Amino acid sequence: MSKKANTNVNTSDFQFKNTWETAFEDQEFIKTFSTEILEDYILKKRWYAGKSSTLKYIEVVDHCKLSSDKNTYFGVLIEINFSEAFFQDYFIPVSFIPGNKENLETGTIIAPVTFQGVEGHLIDALHIEDFRIVVFNRIMGYSGENNHKKILFHRSETMKPMKYESSGFMGGEQSNTSIIYNNSLVMKFFRRIYTSKNPDYEISRFLTEKSNFKNIPAYVGSINLDLDNGDTITLALMQDLIENEGDAWKYMLEELKSVFTNIEKKKIKVKKLPAISLYQRQPINSIPPEIIDFAGLNIFLKVSKLAQRTAEMHIALGSDMQDTAFTPTKYNGDYAVWLKNRLIYMFQNRLNTIENNMHKLDGEALELAKEFLDKKKEIREHFLNFNWTRMKSERIRIHGDYHLGQVLVDHDDFYLLDFEGEPESTIQDRKVKQPPLKDVAGMFRSFHYAIYSTIFNNDGSFSTSQEDMFEAGEVLYKYMIGVFMETYVHKVQAENLNIGYKQEIEFLLDYCLLEKAVYELGYELNSRPRWTIIPLRGIASILKNKKN
């Protein structure tokens, strides 16, 4: 390969002696591709998760080849190594398109290149319709040469094959890239990959093919790569496209805006709102009239419906007695050690973060941060105080990153999605069976965030003082939890999913809520310090509740 100055728009920077079809057989190309071409390209991509670390070098660890009548495509697995002594793996499908830039069907270019005198551009193949057609047809089972026998294209038996009609990108670029097919299916290509089946693929397929739970985008098909050592990498997941009115986070913010407007509109006396204790189960038909006057009935009906769908998800995930990946299991010493080590590591990380960022805080947030540091011994002991021998409930596979943003709203119903798990966790940790109440705690934290987000983002709609809104918000939060608990606990216990009895349920909720709130601290301190008050208030409330 020779490299020359870019003298005009039609001349490429990178020139190679081999053909595109044999590119990944040539070590010179691979070296230039990984050290010069990719480094420039990948740092700018939103799905690249290493922006806060120092890139050391990129290595091409494997590739697979797909061909159509028009083009040859390579699926490239790369390992990005960082100076901080860790690495991340990514998947990039690549195409070479000859000709001028003006003739391309996309502006997303990896680099201008020349193969054996043929000038053109390396393109992320997802931006080429022909590539999207190739993978669609392979999943549907239509004929086509599979140049790489380790690529596993799968279509669910629940899905009848369909012909390709159209494809296009779904929304903006995120941590993964989603393609809409035929206006009825969505294919999620995982950018950051793991040497294991992706939990989103595993759980979506299980719930579709082995359970009666219908409130998810049904599993349609997938692309996996079998490695020589027996490991499997999930490259893409295809599911039904759910007609929806947006996610539950947006829905809840609109609902809460209306609720808080009522304080002034209906002259609600915040100090006289009847409060309930945290986790107290609250049937909707016995909510005090003062609370209904303040919040209305609809928000509680929706919370109850979401609780029902959450319970049904957990019942389904704990229903299989044959597939060991989904069989409920008891607590044991190994789990307790794993849990404590993980949480103490996270807690120490958050302690360091808050100590280094105190200068960003003021007012109540600063006072609560000081209180958090004063109580660090108590919080650490709380995390260490997990006595597995006293646990009578069972652990199951769970969603793992459950919040309002992972729920779609369709009329009066909810659909649950994105089962990849907590982004900070390793792929192995995401697959550990955990208490289903961890998902419940995640949703409760999301309720808390929605309430505070509504108060913080006051666009002039509220004339009520922020102090009164905080007070009313805390009362509302406990009723939302109470309604959720009434529906959820009744449903799972009726279906014999063992979540324990009252004392164990409340211990697990305290434990998981504190874990979630401490987890949130890191993000808020680094991204939006003003919002640090939300997890800090949550932590203070949990610690206070634990003592009562």
Side-chain angles (χ1 to χ4, degrees):
M1 193 229 39
S2 62
K3 183 176 179 182
K4 65 178 182 178
N6 190 10
T7 56
N8 62 66
V9 293
N10 295 321
T11 303
S12 63
D13 287 340
F14 302 100
Q15 299 191 20
F16 302 98
K17 297 175 182 178
N18 54 293
T19 65
W20 167 241
E21 287 72 17
T22 60
F24 284 89
E25 297 169 20
D26 179 64
Q27 290 304 313
E28 186 75 21
F29 168 78
I30 291 174
K31 180 181 177 183
T32 305
F33 179 70
S34 57
T35 58
E36 297 185 56
I37 295 174
L38 271 187
E39 281 193 23
D40 258 0
Y41 174 73
I42 203 167
L43 291 171
K44 303 168 187 172
K45 306 311 291 180
R46 185 169 178 182
W47 42 258
Y48 173 57
K51 291 182 175 67
S52 61
S53 302
T54 305
L55 190 153
K56 191 174 182 182
Y57 66 88
I58 298 176
E59 182 181 359
V60 173
V61 294
D62 206 346
H63 69 275
C64 48
K65 188 176 183 180
L66 279 177
S67 296
S68 71
D69 294 336
K70 297 179 181 179
N71 293 307
T72 295
Y73 304 100
F74 290 98
V76 186
L77 307 183
I78 62 170
E79 180 179 283
I80 300 181
N81 287 266
F82 297 96
S83 299
E84 292 86 349
F86 72 98
F87 65 89
Q88 295 173 348
D89 293 323
Y90 290 86
F91 168 65
I92 306 176
V94 183
S95 174
F96 171 67
I97 306 298
N100 294 332
K101 183 177 180 180
E102 291 74 17
N103 300 327
L104 297 174
E105 60 182 275
T106 175
T108 304
I109 296 170
I110 297 176
V113 295
T114 299
F115 290 99
Q116 286 193 350
V118 179
E119 295 184 352
H121 297 83
L122 290 180
I123 305 291
D124 184 323
L126 290 179
H127 291 265
I128 306 298
E129 185 179 25
D130 179 62
F131 175 78
R132 301 196 296 263
I133 294 172
V134 168
V135 294
F136 180 86
N137 286 339
R138 297 292 197 282
I139 286 177
M140 291 299 155
Y142 299 125
S143 60
E145 182 187 359
N146 186 354
N147 308 79
H148 199 295
K149 303 304 179 186
K150 293 178 183 177
I151 305 176
L152 306 177
F153 294 95
H154 179 262
R155 174 176 52 81
S156 175
E157 292 179 2
T158 64
M159 172 71 186
K160 292 181 180 179
M162 63 169 65
K163 295 290 186 182
Y164 175 88
E165 296 171 7
S166 63
S167 62
F169 288 90
M170 180 179 183
E173 188 181 86
Q174 301 295 328
S175 56
N176 300 306
T177 303
S178 295
I179 306 293
I180 295 177
Y181 283 100
N182 297 358
N183 294 316
S184 62
L185 304 173
V186 60
M187 173 93 95
K188 182 193 295 183
F189 284 87
F190 298 106
R191 294 300 198 162
R192 186 175 175 190
I193 55 169
Y194 304 91
T195 310
S196 182
K197 292 175 183 174
N198 191 289
D200 202 4
Y201 157 73
E202 283 187 305
I203 292 177
S204 297
R205 184 172 178 181
F206 174 82
L207 290 175
T208 299
E209 297 183 339
K210 292 191 176 181
S211 84
N212 294 318
F213 185 58
K214 304 300 182 188
N215 284 68
I216 60 164
Y219 170 79
V220 172
S222 58
I223 307 173
N224 285 280
L225 183 65
D226 263 2
L227 302 181
D228 291 335
N229 62 4
D231 289 328
T232 300
I233 293 174
T234 304
L235 302 179
L237 170 66
M238 180 178 275
Q239 297 170 287
D240 274 342
L241 180 65
I242 299 290
E243 292 287 336
N244 67 86
E245 301 154 34
D247 64 38
W249 171 258
K250 179 184 174 186
Y251 177 88
M252 188 61 77
L253 291 184
E254 291 173 355
E255 193 69 26
L256 286 167
K257 186 174 181 180
S258 173
V259 169
F260 281 111
T261 302
N262 284 340
I263 298 177
E264 178 67 22
K265 185 178 173 182
K266 296 186 176 182
K267 302 192 183 313
I268 302 294
K269 297 187 185 304
V270 173
K271 303 289 185 191
K272 294 189 176 181
L273 288 174
I276 56 173
S277 59
L278 196 64
Y279 313 138
Q280 178 180 315
R281 290 172 61 174
Q282 182 66 59
I284 290 179
N285 59 11
S286 63
I287 296 174
E290 299 94 328
I291 298 298
I292 296 295
D293 189 37
F294 160 46
L297 185 60
N298 187 57
I299 194 169
F300 297 119
L301 292 172
K302 292 299 188 292
V303 165
S304 178
K305 174 68 77 173
L306 182 56
Q308 180 184 339
R309 296 304 180 220
T310 306
E312 290 167 352
M313 171 184 70
H314 286 151
I315 291 161
L317 287 172
S319 64
D320 199 294
M321 295 301 137
Q322 296 175 329
D323 185 343
T324 54
F326 289 91
T327 304
T329 190
K330 296 287 187 183
Y331 291 89
N332 56 30
D334 288 344
Y335 174 78
V337 169
W338 169 84
L339 180 68
K340 292 173 186 179
N341 286 343
R342 181 169 169 270
L343 296 191
I344 292 303
Y345 175 83
M346 178 194 70
F347 179 59
Q348 189 58 51
N349 174 277
R350 294 324 190 250
L351 274 179
N352 295 339
T353 301
I354 206 165
E355 286 170 347
N356 293 332
N357 289 275
M358 292 288 279
H359 62 281
K360 297 180 181 179
L361 305 177
D362 56 24
E364 186 185 1
L366 180 60
E367 292 307 310
L368 287 170
K370 290 177 180 176
E371 184 180 317
F372 173 80
L373 292 175
D374 288 343
K375 292 184 176 178
K376 61 186 177 184
K377 183 178 179 182
E378 179 184 340
I379 296 170
R380 185 182 282 108
E381 286 176 354
H382 178 71
F383 284 143
L384 291 172
N385 185 31
F386 190 91
N387 185 352
W388 69 270
T389 63
R390 298 176 63 183
M391 298 293 111
K392 305 305 178 187
S393 59
E394 292 180 318
R395 298 180 286 125
I396 61 171
R397 285 292 291 272
I398 63 171
H399 185 287
D401 188 29
Y402 196 51
H403 55 79
L404 290 166
Q406 307 283 42
V407 178
L408 293 178
V409 180
D410 183 35
H411 294 92
D412 289 326
D413 212 344
F414 296 105
Y415 290 82
L416 320 183
L417 63 157
D418 287 343
F419 291 86
E420 278 196 75
E422 208 167 61
E424 248 186 55
S425 299
T426 66
I427 197 72
Q428 290 80 15
D429 285 353
R430 298 183 202 187
K431 297 186 180 191
V432 171
K433 291 170 186 173
Q434 300 200 63
L437 290 167
K438 181 173 180 179
D439 280 344
V440 173
M443 188 55 70
F444 290 172
R445 291 297 309 143
S446 197
F447 290 167
H448 204 235
Y449 260 80
I451 288 168
Y452 275 76
S453 177
T454 304
I455 297 170
F456 282 148
N457 294 331
N458 184 356
D459 57 2
S461 303
F462 316 125
S463 54
T464 308
S465 71
Q466 194 173 76
E467 184 182 346
D468 277 354
M469 291 179 74
F470 281 151
E471 188 172 343
E474 289 294 338
V475 172
L476 175 61
Y477 173 61
K478 290 179 180 178
Y479 276 97
M480 290 170 72
I481 285 180
V483 169
F484 192 105
M485 288 293 290
E486 173 64 20
T487 302
Y488 178 84
V489 174
H490 175 79
K491 182 69 178 175
V492 296
Q493 289 183 341
E495 297 290 335
N496 296 316
L497 179 65
N498 185 0
I499 62 168
Y501 291 99
K502 187 175 185 295
Q503 186 176 0
E504 184 171 343
I505 288 170
E506 293 190 2
F507 169 80
L508 287 171
L509 282 172
D510 269 346
Y511 199 91
C512 295
L513 275 170
L514 190 58
E515 175 191 348
K516 283 286 183 182
V518 171
Y519 174 85
E520 292 157 4
L521 267 181
Y523 177 82
E524 300 304 350
L525 280 165
N526 290 322
S527 304
R528 43 186 188 187
R530 179 167 168 258
W531 287 43
T532 305
I533 193 171
I534 304 177
L536 285 170
R537 274 197 167 207
I539 291 166
S541 174
I542 295 159
L543 293 176
K544 182 180 177 182
N545 179 69
K546 193 165 67 73
K547 290 176 181 177
N548 293 339

